[in-house]
């Protein structure tokens, strides 16, 4: 496991970086996302460019959620507005 240092922490979301390999991690609730530094910056740019209400959809449980697709076509993440804002 990497020797990580915390870069940012807000409620249940933590952004950290490995001091040795410089990989970035986003720990959010039960998710752990791993990125190279360039991948992290690209992900951050995409997240910051999205307006939740312009991209959200109603889900069967009655909540409004945004869907973030991954490079694996079988895996997508969904976030309610509060979790998306924390991310």
């Amino acid at each position: 496991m990497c020797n990580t240092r915390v870069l940012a922490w807000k409620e249940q979301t933590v952004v950290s970086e490995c001091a040795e390999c410089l990989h970035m991690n986003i720990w959010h609730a039960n998710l752990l996302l791993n990125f190279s530094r360039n991948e992290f910056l690209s992900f951050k740019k995409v997240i910051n460019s999205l307006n939740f209400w312009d991209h959200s959809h109603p889900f069967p449980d009655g909540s409004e959620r945004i869907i973030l697709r991954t490079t694996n076509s079988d895996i997508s993440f969904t976030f309610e507005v509060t979790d998306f804002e924390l991310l």
Side-chain angles (χ1 to χ4, degrees), residues 6-15:
V6 173
L7 302 176
W9 189 336
K10 185 173 183 183
E11 296 185 32
Q12 62 181 347
T13 304
V14 176
V15 177

Side-chain angles (χ1 to χ4, degrees), residues 3 7 9 13 16 19 26 66 68 74-75 78 84:
N3 180 18
L7 302 176
W9 189 336
T13 304
S16 64
I26 298 176
I66 192 168
L68 298 180
D74 296 332
I75 299 172
T78 67
F84 184 73

Side-chain angles (χ1 to χ4, degrees), residues 3 7 11 34 42 50 56 65 69 83:
N3 180 18
L7 302 176
E11 296 185 32
N34 303 294
S42 295
L50 294 175
S56 63
R65 296 175 186 257
R69 305 204 189 293
D83 285 329

Side-chain angles (χ1 to χ4, degrees), residues 11-43:
E11 296 185 32
Q12 62 181 347
T13 304
V14 176
V15 177
S16 64
E17 178 182 45
C18 174
E20 297 158 9
C21 70
L22 301 180
H23 272 78
M24 309 289 291
N25 304 300
I26 298 176
W27 311 72
H28 180 80
N30 63 339
L31 297 176
L32 172 58
L33 308 175
N34 303 294
F35 303 94
S36 69
R37 184 171 277 177
N38 287 339
E39 291 167 339
F40 175 80
L41 294 173
S42 295
F43 180 77

